Amino acid sequence: MNLSHPMTKSAPPAAGQMVSYFDTLALVERLHRLLLDLVKDEFERLGVLEINPVQALLLFNMGEQELTAGELKTRGFYQGSNVSYNLKKLVDLGYLHHERSTADRRAVRIRLTEKGRRVRETLLRLFAGHADGMVARGVLPREGMDDLTLMLRRVERYWTEQIRYIY
């Protein structure tokens, strides 16, 4: 048993399952950091240095939708003040267009500008290359990607249910 885990040798019989779960948690964290590094490297390579990877992914995840900051938060992509800061910066830099809602003057609707769409297109190409590369190099078979996504959605659903149950 790996001693870097919170489990010890005196753990109950389900320890193998726990070690595997801890490995999964650590891997999810590392994969998120690696994704941010991949995005950062791509934008550095292209000379786009005014936005950070989190902001680039925010633009990517928005797509062609017109949203409010609250809608971005409720979709689970971003945390409270972090979203407000990043949205303001992206508006100031010309990646997002914003306007007050006619129905609710407190709400601000945001959508990508042409500059924001170019960032999204860059990430679409990057991610398409990654997907093709994983299949070509045998990292994941094409159907394996679907299976992986299904399993991760199940974990997401389970964790979401746990949050709702606790509160």
Side-chain angles (χ1 to χ4, degrees):
M1 182 177 300
N2 185 337
L3 295 178
S4 65
H5 289 291
M7 301 299 297
T8 64
K9 290 188 183 223
S10 62
Q17 182 176 338
M18 291 298 296
V19 167
S20 183
Y21 184 64
F22 291 143
D23 282 344
T24 301
L25 294 177
L27 185 57
V28 167
E29 286 184 86
R30 281 196 313 276
L31 287 171
H32 177 67
R33 284 192 301 273
L34 279 170
L35 174 63
L36 294 175
D37 287 345
L38 287 167
V39 171
K40 179 179 180 279
D41 287 352
E42 180 68 7
F43 281 94
E44 284 177 354
R45 189 181 67 73
L46 296 172
V48 178
L49 306 175
E50 64 185 0
I51 63 172
N52 65 42
V54 170
Q55 293 163 343
L57 286 169
L58 190 149
L59 296 171
F60 177 78
N61 288 322
M62 278 187 62
E64 291 302 319
Q65 302 171 66
E66 185 174 287
L67 304 165
T68 66
E71 289 168 331
L72 276 172
K73 287 186 275 191
T74 56
R75 291 173 189 208
F77 292 135
Y78 307 95
Q79 299 297 315
S81 63
N82 202 8
V83 141
S84 299
Y85 167 81
N86 284 316
L87 291 177
K88 182 180 180 339
K89 182 141 177 143
L90 290 167
V91 167
D92 291 346
L93 292 169
Y95 291 94
L96 289 175
H97 175 75
H98 71 103
E99 64 184 76
R100 295 237 173 253
S101 168
T102 54
D104 179 357
R105 300 297 297 163
R106 295 170 298 171
V108 176
R109 310 279 312 159
I110 53 173
R111 69 179 180 277
L112 299 181
T113 62
E114 185 55 40
K115 191 175 178 183
R117 281 188 206 89
R118 285 194 301 270
V119 167
R120 187 166 193 278
E121 290 297 321
T122 297
L123 288 177
L124 278 169
R125 284 191 303 275
L126 177 68
F127 297 154
H130 291 166
D132 290 343
M134 284 188 200
V135 171
R137 294 176 77 184
V139 174
L140 278 175
R142 228 171 260 293
E143 61 278 357
M145 197 87 64
D146 293 337
D147 294 341
L148 179 59
T149 301
L150 177 64
M151 287 186 279
L152 289 171
R153 284 188 198 278
R154 288 177 180 165
V155 170
E156 178 187 36
R157 192 174 316 122
Y158 178 80
W159 284 353
T160 302
E161 289 169 359
Q162 298 308 300
I163 292 168
R164 288 187 183 137
Y165 179 74
I166 293 170
Y167 299 106

